[in-house]
Amino acid sequence: MIPYGFTKTLDQDFDTVCQRLPAVLQEHGFGVISRIDMSAKFKEKLGVEFGKYMIFGACNPPNAYQAVQAEEFIGLMLPCNVIAFEKDGKTAVGAIKPSVAMAVVENEELGKVAMKVEEDLRGVIEDL
């Protein structure tokens, strides 16, 4: 466990998890608005080999809208990141805890939105 996110290790291969993850996010009201293949980026930009590691930028439009209404500059901290990477022959997954990330803003309305999003992201990780 980490204090800033939800994590889980799955006995499924990385590619299967990465194919399934967008559908599970969608079941919880999120869409994937970005996908960053860190392995490919490290190879391209640094010339180094790195294990499979994918970052999914997840967004729930109604919650994002509420967050921006509560705090105009909150886009600096959006979207919510969900990750998958290979570890010891398994696939580790994780999602950020919005309540932790948004706590630095000290905005009560934003905190309420963060808690709702956090509930949904916890469900994503649990359902994988």
Side-chain angles (χ1 to χ4, degrees), residues 7 31 48 53 69 86 94 100 106 109 115 125-127:
T7 63
V48 298
Y53 196 113
Q69 284 185 312
E86 279 188 331
V100 174
E106 297 180 0
E109 285 305 308
M115 290 307 296
I125 299 303
E126 287 174 359
D127 287 352

Side-chain angles (χ1 to χ4, degrees), residues 15-71:
D15 293 330
T16 299
V17 172
C18 287
Q19 288 173 1
R20 190 166 162 244
L21 187 52
V24 176
L25 282 162
Q26 188 170 22
E27 290 169 12
H28 290 270
F30 294 91
V32 174
I33 61 173
S34 64
R35 233 179 261 230
I36 304 168
D37 182 340
M38 296 301 289
S39 308
K41 288 296 172 192
F42 290 149
K43 178 72 172 172
E44 174 190 344
K45 303 293 183 182
L46 304 175
V48 298
E49 296 293 329
F50 192 80
K52 294 180 179 181
Y53 196 113
M54 187 77 71
I55 301 172
F56 295 84
C59 182
N60 177 305
N63 289 328
Y65 178 69
Q66 286 181 337
V68 172
Q69 284 185 312
E71 184 76 33

